[in-house]
Amino acid sequence: MRDFVQFSGVQKTYDGESLVIKDLNLDIAKGEFVTLLGPSGSGKSTALMLLAGFEQPTSGTIRLGGRTLNSVAPHDRNIGMVFQNYALFPHMTVAENIGYPLRVRKMAKPEIAERVKRALDFVQLGRFADRYPRQMSGGQQQRVAVARALVFDPALVLMDEPLGALDKKLREEMQVEIKHIHGRLGITMVFVTHDQDEALTMSDRIAVFNDGRIQQIDAPAALYERPANQFVAGFLGDTNMLPGEVAGEEAGALVVALKDGGRVRATAVDTLSRGAGTLVSVRPERLAVNPAPETPDQMPATLVETIYHGATARMIFRLGGGTTVAAQLRAGSPLLALEPGAAARLAFGQSDGRAFALS
Ligand SMILES: Nc1ncnc2c1ncn2[C@@H]1O[C@H](COP(=O)(O)OP(=O)(O)OP(=O)(O)O)[C@@H](O)[C@H]1O
Ligand SMILES: [Mg+2]
């Protein structure tokens, strides 16, 4: 069922003036892991609050399992949630917090005890069962909130930056654990994060938000390889932007006269007519440095600096007109021996250059 969760034409304003959600259309299948990714203030948490039923849409409808959300009583929604401020019940211990959704559902005591124990182990907090939230760090409280959201096997789980306060190692472990639980229980997950690596590793699909709209929703690889607009190309991963003007078309490729001089062939993302300004986006790892002499469309460049990142290195070049671009190389590449100031040639494949209309 593709439309287990369905937003149709949803708008939301808090103050009656500005729309923080402008036109949200989103279908989520049962069992899918969908991540909302976007800059601060783009409307991710608001979308989650609407789905949880804590906020009402100003217009449009939200359906859950085929029923409009308003017609489903809160206790029938079977939604597990972790919110951005991960509020635990301060007067309950960790174990009591995690067991709360089970007590509400009138589960038998031994089963509650068993499930709470498993949930505590899952978030690596077995020793903390009898502590109160105020006696725990922010990251530990976050993990309790994650355990509480999953403990009752909900059909739908909403998580708003649940791993934000964790250090890198614990964060990566929890990502893997959450992903396993998701696969094992077949829950539908709507997950919010700022962190693009987290979104790329965990999601079946990522919805990129900006300014109250979904800019693109796609599987991680498709989103990275075929960003639909400049915002997505710039927000997800690093990209170089080469300014130019459309000079024509040739065998299905767009020919672009670069501001920095020379011509390149690229793939048109938007409709672009001759003479139109364009930005050609190329990922650093798709930029070839000093390719074979017969490679077409080479751009002369000067090396500015080389930055080491462990397994990879970035070489920063300046093109003829002053535009700087980055190329990513594997550590150990002989090209890394080039000294700053050295002349070089850069090139990319036609399908690796994506030409966007100026926005
Ligand atoms: N309760 C509220 N009353 C008024 N305005 C609000 C309220 N909640 C959010 N907003 C505004 O709505 C917009 C979207 O906020 P939202 O919390 O959905 O963003 P977000 O994408 O989750 O951002 P972040 O990544 O910082 O958490 C922001 O401009 C915010 O100031
Ligand atoms: Mg938020």
Side-chain angles (χ1 to χ4, degrees):
M1 185 164 56
R2 181 63 168 192
D3 52 357
F4 179 59
V5 173
Q6 189 174 44
F7 288 80
S8 322
V10 171
Q11 296 190 319
K12 174 68 181 176
T13 170
Y14 287 106
D15 59 9
E17 283 178 18
S18 60
L19 289 174
V20 300
I21 298 280
K22 290 188 177 138
D23 181 22
L24 184 58
N25 296 287
L26 174 61
D27 289 350
I28 299 174
K30 209 168 171 53
E32 217 181 352
F33 195 123
V34 170
T35 296
L36 315 185
L37 177 72
S40 187
S42 56
K44 308 178 298 292
S45 295
T46 300
L48 226 53
M49 297 293 266
L50 290 167
L51 183 51
F54 293 147
E55 290 287 349
Q56 295 306 313
T58 306
S59 61
T61 51
I62 302 173
R63 288 192 184 80
L64 184 57
R67 295 194 287 169
T68 58
L69 203 58
N70 317 11
S71 68
V72 186
H75 60 270
D76 286 338
R77 285 181 196 159
N78 205 24
I79 302 179
M81 297 172 216
V82 181
F83 282 107
Q84 217 165 354
N85 45 13
Y86 48 89
L88 300 174
F89 303 116
H91 58 289
M92 292 185 197
T93 64
V94 166
E96 286 164 354
N97 261 284
I98 297 174
Y100 178 79
L102 305 176
R103 292 198 297 281
V104 171
R105 287 168 175 77
K106 310 240 180 300
M107 194 173 273
K109 272 194 179 146
E111 183 167 6
I112 293 182
E114 172 58 30
R115 281 187 178 234
V116 168
K117 185 179 174 309
R118 254 190 292 144
L120 274 168
D121 288 343
F122 154 60
V123 292
Q124 305 178 24
L125 288 175
R127 297 179 295 119
F128 293 80
D130 299 322
R131 292 243 192 133
Y132 286 90
R134 64 172 184 279
Q135 300 168 315
M136 323 246 309
S137 74
Q140 291 165 341
Q141 292 181 44
Q142 247 181 344
R143 282 141 70 197
V144 175
V146 168
R148 188 177 60 183
L150 294 170
V151 73
F152 61 103
D153 297 344
L156 175 64
V157 175
L158 313 180
M159 292 193 178
D160 197 346
E161 311 224 17
L163 311 179
L166 306 186
D167 64 57
K168 186 165 181 292
K169 182 164 173 289
L170 194 53
R171 186 176 180 125
E172 286 170 359
E173 282 172 15
M174 291 280 290
Q175 288 171 359
V176 172
E177 281 298 331
I178 289 175
K179 205 47 201 154
H180 282 165
I181 292 211
H182 166 257
R184 205 165 64 231
L185 303 181
I187 46 183
T188 306
M189 180 77 83
V190 187
F191 192 90
V192 173
T193 183
H194 270 111
D195 179 332
Q196 29 169 303
D197 289 332
E198 186 161 289
L200 290 169
T201 11
M202 299 187 78
S203 322
D204 294 318
R205 286 190 301 159
I206 301 171
V208 179
F209 271 63
N210 191 35
D211 197 21
R213 287 182 202 279
I214 294 183
Q215 304 290 318
Q216 184 174 2
I217 175 160
D218 243 319
L223 208 60
Y224 187 82
E225 297 292 338
R226 294 184 293 282
N229 59 38
Q230 258 183 67
F231 178 81
V232 177
F235 190 75
L236 200 76
D238 290 327
T239 197
N240 296 301
M241 289 287 187
L242 306 173
E245 195 173 277
V246 177
E249 219 180 312
E250 198 180 282
L254 196 72
V255 181
V256 176
L258 294 178
K259 278 229 166 72
D260 288 275
R263 294 179 170 222
V264 291
R265 268 160 295 186
T267 301
V269 178
D270 300 312
T271 313
L272 287 161
S273 45
R274 183 189 285 268
T278 180
L279 280 174
V280 179
S281 122
V282 188
R283 301 280 186 199
E285 69 273 20
R286 301 295 161 86
L287 211 49
V289 180
N290 290 349
E294 65 275 16
T295 309
D297 299 347
Q298 298 193 24
M299 304 176 284
T302 308
L303 180 62
V304 177
E305 60 175 334
T306 300
I307 303 159
Y308 289 89
H309 291 291
T312 61
R314 291 235 138 170
M315 299 181 87
I316 312 294
F317 293 94
R318 187 171 296 113
L319 301 179
T323 302
T324 35
V325 295
Q328 180 175 302
L329 287 92
R330 275 176 301 105
S333 162
L335 290 162
L336 296 176
L338 286 176
E339 298 277 351
R345 297 167 285 109
L346 307 175
F348 56 88
Q350 174 203 318
S351 59
D352 290 328
R354 298 175 57 78
F356 296 107
L358 299 181
S359 54

